[in-house]
Amino acid sequence: VQLVESGGGLVQAGGSLKLSCAASGTIFSIINMGWYRQAPEKQRELVALKPNAGNAEYGDSVRGRFTISRDVTKNTVYLQMNSLKPEDTAVYYCRAAVQEYADYGVEHHWGQGTQVTVSS
């Protein structure tokens, strides 16, 4: 399973960006897809997670500003980021919980990461 992210870049504070992540490969089912981020010298943290059923989950620092969505027909997850702040600067990673075959367990896969830089 491969996850390919796109949409990162440089934006001014208060601006918006939209990240995309597409999963490909041997996929029977995707249980959830989400976004994590890691700033320099900080631990990786949850940004948003979207399960197949139920509500999305957001990190406290982004709730109300970021929106996660999924297109299950395309195995793709999106992250709309509004009202960006300099403290949102980080490498953003896509993660998917995937069942490759019907009788397999669930494995987590990560994308390569995309840089988001917010200037003040």
Side-chain angles (χ1 to χ4, degrees):
V1 175
Q2 297 79 41
L3 301 180
V4 178
E5 300 128 333
S6 61
L10 173 65
V11 65
Q12 288 188 332
S16 298
L17 281 176
K18 186 174 183 178
L19 306 182
S20 301
C21 171
S24 62
T26 303
I27 298 172
F28 172 74
S29 176
I30 297 179
I31 309 306
N32 63 58
M33 296 186 79
W35 294 93
Y36 290 73
R37 69 186 183 186
Q38 188 165 19
E41 301 182 358
K42 291 190 177 181
Q43 290 188 333
R44 192 171 295 189
E45 64 175 358
L46 171 70
V47 177
L49 186 68
K50 186 71 169 73
N52 284 349
N55 296 326
E57 178 182 352
Y58 293 94
D60 290 340
S61 61
V62 308
R63 191 175 293 112
R65 300 186 296 122
F66 292 9
T67 302
I68 189 171
S69 60
R70 285 177 60 186
D71 184 338
V72 295
T73 65
K74 297 181 179 179
N75 291 333
T76 298
V77 63
Y78 306 95
L79 184 68
Q80 177 65 47
M81 304 185 292
N82 298 328
S83 302
L84 282 160
K85 304 175 182 180
E87 50 263 45
D88 293 318
T89 295
V91 177
Y92 284 69
Y93 296 92
C94 174
R95 193 186 85 165
V98 178
Q99 189 179 13
E100 295 186 30
Y101 299 95
D103 56 349
Y104 274 34
V106 176
E107 294 187 354
H108 291 101
H109 299 269
W110 291 90
Q112 80 285 356
T114 185
Q115 177 71 46
V116 171
T117 302
V118 184
S119 63
S120 57

